[in-house]
Amino acid sequence: LVMAEAFRASYPLFHELRESYDRPDLDFQVGIPLHLDLAVDSFGEGGFAPAIYEPCLEATAREIRAIQAESQGDVVFQLEMPVPLVAIAGTPPEGQAQTAAEMARRVTDLPRRADAGTRFGVHLCLGDMNHKALARMRDVRPLVLLANELPRRWPEETTLEFIHAPFAAAEEPPTFDEAFYAPLGDLDLPPEVRFAAGCIHESLSLDEERRLIALIEDLAGRQVDLAAACGLARRPDVAQAWDAMDKSAALVDA
C-alpha cells in the first residue's frame, strides 16, 4: 500500500502544523490517480479490459480504504484523471455526451468501492507532462458534460465535494474568447458541489486573471474556487509555481 505509506509519513506532520497555526478547519488532501488512468497509462487501450481494469480498480480502492480507516474524518481524496477528459475531447461532438456518460460510470466505480463517509474531489485534467498537455479542447463542452454527469452517478454513501476544471492546457494559457467558455451556461452542479476554475497561469497578469474569473463566473452562474489547471510541480521553473500561488492568494484576499 504505497499511497497509504506516504499518507502515514505526512499526516501526523499535517496535524502538528494545523494545531500550531490554529487552523482546525483545514482538511488533508490525498491525491489519488484514478484507477482508469492507472490501467490505460500502463496498458493502453487494453486497460479497459476487465482482466486489467478490475485489478487496477480494486488496488486503488484498497489504498483509499486503508487511508480512510486511519484518518480522523479530515481527509479528502482528490481523484487525478486526465484520461476521461482527454477521451471526451477526442470524440467527435455528436458522440461526446455518450463518451461523458461512459467515463462518468468508470470514474464512479471507485467511490462505490470506498467506505461510507469517504470524501472526494475530482480533478479533471488535460495532462501536464513536462508542462505539455495531452489534448486540447475546441471549447469547454467536454468538461461541462463530464462535470454534469458525475454528481448524477455519484454513490450516496460517499461525498463529492468539488470538481476541478482546467481552463488552460499546460503551458498554453487560458483564452479570452468568450465562445470557448459559452458551454458553461449548461453547467448543472448541485449547489453543495464546489466548482474550481483551473485558470491561474504564469502567463496572465492579476488584472487578466480577474477578467477571466469574472467571465467564467458570469457564464457558469456561480462563484468558483481558484486553482491552476494542473499540478504546480510540472512547471520547468519553480518560480512559475510560486507565481501561481501568489496570484491565487492575492485573488482570494481581494
Side-chain angles (χ1 to χ4, degrees), residues 4-5 66 83 106 115 130 156 160-161 166 184 189 209 212 223 245:
E5 291 177 4
V83 167
R106 298 277 189 174
D115 293 330
N130 299 318
E156 292 183 0
L160 175 60
E161 299 199 356
L184 285 172
L189 297 182
E209 293 285 6
L212 186 58
Q223 186 177 43
M245 289 187 282

Side-chain angles (χ1 to χ4, degrees), residues 14 18 25 29 32 37 51 59 65 72 78 82 84 96 141 146-147 165 195 209 214 228 238 241-242:
F14 163 75
R18 190 172 68 176
D25 56 305
Q29 181 172 291
I32 296 284
D37 288 74
R65 292 193 298 265
Q72 299 177 20
Q78 176 171 276
Q96 287 183 347
R141 183 170 181 263
L146 185 52
F195 186 69
E209 293 285 6
V238 67
W242 282 109

Side-chain angles (χ1 to χ4, degrees), residues 17-94:
L17 290 170
R18 190 172 68 176
E19 183 176 351
S20 66
Y21 284 94
D22 193 25
R23 291 296 306 274
D25 56 305
L26 295 181
D27 291 318
F28 187 90
Q29 181 172 291
V30 177
I32 296 284
L34 187 69
H35 60 286
L36 178 60
D37 288 74
L38 176 63
V40 172
D41 288 349
S42 300
F43 299 98
E45 292 187 6
F48 287 94
I52 294 173
Y53 180 85
E54 174 61 30
C56 289
L57 170 59
E58 182 51 35
T60 307
R62 186 167 62 245
E63 296 269 7
I64 290 174
R65 292 193 298 265
I67 294 170
Q68 177 68 9
E70 297 181 27
S71 76
Q72 299 177 20
D74 55 358
V75 167
V76 179
F77 295 92
Q78 176 171 276
L79 302 183
E80 321 281 357
M81 52 177 74
V83 167
L85 189 56
V86 169
I88 300 166
T91 301
E94 63 273 14

Side-chain angles (χ1 to χ4, degrees), residues 121-167:
V122 168
H123 182 97
L124 306 184
C125 183
L126 292 168
D128 200 346
M129 181 63 69
N130 299 318
H131 212 26
K132 303 288 185 182
L134 299 174
R136 301 289 192 277
M137 297 184 292
R138 290 182 287 270
D139 58 30
V140 299
R141 183 170 181 263
L143 68 84
V144 170
L145 289 170
L146 185 52
N148 286 347
E149 281 288 338
L150 287 169
R152 297 168 187 163
R153 297 171 179 267
W154 206 267
E156 292 183 0
E157 59 270 20
T158 65
T159 303
L160 175 60
E161 299 199 356
F162 66 85
I163 295 176
H164 166 280
F167 292 109

